[in-house]
Amino acid sequence: MTKIFPQSNSLEFTENLIKCSTGYKLGAIRKTKFANGEIAVVIEESVRNEVIVIVSQPRNYEDMFELLETIDAARRSSAKEIIGVIPYLPHSRQERRENGVRTTISARLLADTLQVAGLDRLITMDVHTTAIEGFYKIPFDNYDPFRYFIEEIKNLNLSNLKVVSPDLGGMKRAKRYAKELGVDIAFLMKERLKANEIAEITLMGDVEGYDVILPDDMIDTGGTMLAGINLLHEKGAKSVRIFATHGLFSNNAIAKFATNHNCPFVYTTNTLPAPDHIYAGFKVVDVCGGFHEALRKVL
Ligand code: R5P
């Protein structure tokens, strides 16, 4: 049996994953905290010569450090192979330096840190940019929620669909949805003032009378999607449905969706724990099956 160790943020996801097969066993980890905030992690059973899985859904830096400490503890306890299931990979929007800006490439920093700690394989989903795989020397499996979202869309039986890309960077994803659904595509152009702040958004194409599908990799503050929804309604869309893999919902973004007068339908996945107060029209699609398939191929 393969031992799967959930991080303190990922118990529900790990339990769902374990339900997919009788070949998994839930491993135990103890996390304690010093008065100054430093955390300490203890793996409470032997991992010597074993292939183990660590599941983490980091929401903050403490979660990320817990993950690094757990990998380090497993490596020092002679685990044979350490597989990380990190459904949402943080820092993936910071994979390059803009010309002339003295900034970091923190996606690379995270890649280096995970590997130095001792990670042997990473399984993730819908990483913001696939170039990030090149930062890793270990196998990097990037799974796709596409089939889960397509199934949801097809089950809606909407007759007048159009796929709209929320920005230029999302065109490839939107085209794939449009092709699979056999419908046309339009796109939004957004100009950012800085991270999480949009200056202007414009629609290229026609959405009047259409049921719009807006696919994206993540909702963070919701700024991109809320501006998009409002504009699409202004331009005559009949309905708008968002399909975003990772629901970060920072700054209580969920409340902004719940109270938006255009009543947006939001579909996200459980790559991150769902926000506390969800509303009718908000659906979390379970993608644990995809991670089980990914593990089955390598275990
Ligand atoms: C941007 O390129 C991403 O794909 C997302 O559209 C963006 O990060 C979402 O952020 P927010 O919800 O804060 O607009």
Side-chain angles (χ1 to χ4, degrees), residues 66-227:
E66 180 185 338
L67 172 62
L68 291 171
E69 286 194 13
T70 309
I71 297 168
D72 184 57
R75 176 57 68 229
R76 291 174 192 282
S77 308
S78 306
K80 185 162 81 185
E81 188 181 343
I82 304 166
I83 301 175
V85 169
I86 311 175
Y88 165 70
L89 192 60
H91 282 258
S92 298
R93 288 173 289 182
Q94 299 181 59
E95 90 292 3
R96 65 194 151 96
R97 279 161 60 98
E98 297 294 342
N99 280 348
V101 179
R102 287 180 293 279
T103 184
T104 169
I105 300 181
S106 57
R108 171 67 198 247
L109 185 62
L110 179 64
D112 289 346
T113 319
L114 286 169
Q115 290 171 104
V116 166
L119 194 66
D120 293 304
R121 173 181 287 274
L122 173 56
I123 303 177
T124 188
M125 184 170 264
D126 203 0
V127 68
H128 180 68
T129 166
T130 49
I132 284 175
E133 178 175 358
F135 296 165
Y136 289 80
K137 285 211 161 105
I138 56 174
F140 181 100
D141 299 314
N142 178 30
Y143 281 81
D144 200 322
F146 182 70
R147 67 187 154 114
Y148 292 97
F149 281 162
I150 283 289
E151 191 183 328
E152 294 288 336
I153 298 168
K154 288 187 174 164
N155 285 342
L156 290 168
N157 284 322
L158 297 166
S159 54
N160 206 18
L161 279 180
K162 185 165 273 195
V163 177
V164 176
S165 174
D167 51 29
L168 283 177
M171 281 301 275
K172 203 168 152 199
R173 171 186 285 106
K175 275 188 193 159
R176 195 165 165 225
Y177 277 83
K179 190 169 174 215
E180 176 67 25
L181 297 165
V183 302
D184 285 339
I185 192 169
F187 65 99
L188 295 166
M189 276 178 45
K190 68 181 180 195
E191 268 179 56
R192 280 201 186 281
L193 286 175
K194 54 179 182 178
N196 296 128
E197 232 174 87
I198 295 169
E200 206 187 342
I201 188 157
T202 40
L203 171 68
M204 310 300 282
D206 164 41
V207 294
E208 192 161 354
Y210 282 98
D211 292 303
V212 169
I213 302 296
L214 261 178
D216 206 352
D217 62 329
M218 69 178 82
I219 297 176
D220 187 358
T221 62
T224 303
M225 285 303 185
L226 286 163

Side-chain angles (χ1 to χ4, degrees), residues 30 36 39 47 64 95 98 100 102 109 126-127 129-130 182 228 235 237 239 246 269 280 288 293 295 297:
R30 185 162 42 89
N36 68 348
I39 55 166
V47 292
M64 283 163 70
E95 90 292 3
E98 297 294 342
R102 287 180 293 279
L109 185 62
D126 203 0
V127 68
T129 166
T130 49
K235 299 286 181 188
S239 68
H246 310 294
T269 75
C288 285
E293 281 167 30
L295 284 170
K297 287 182 191 159

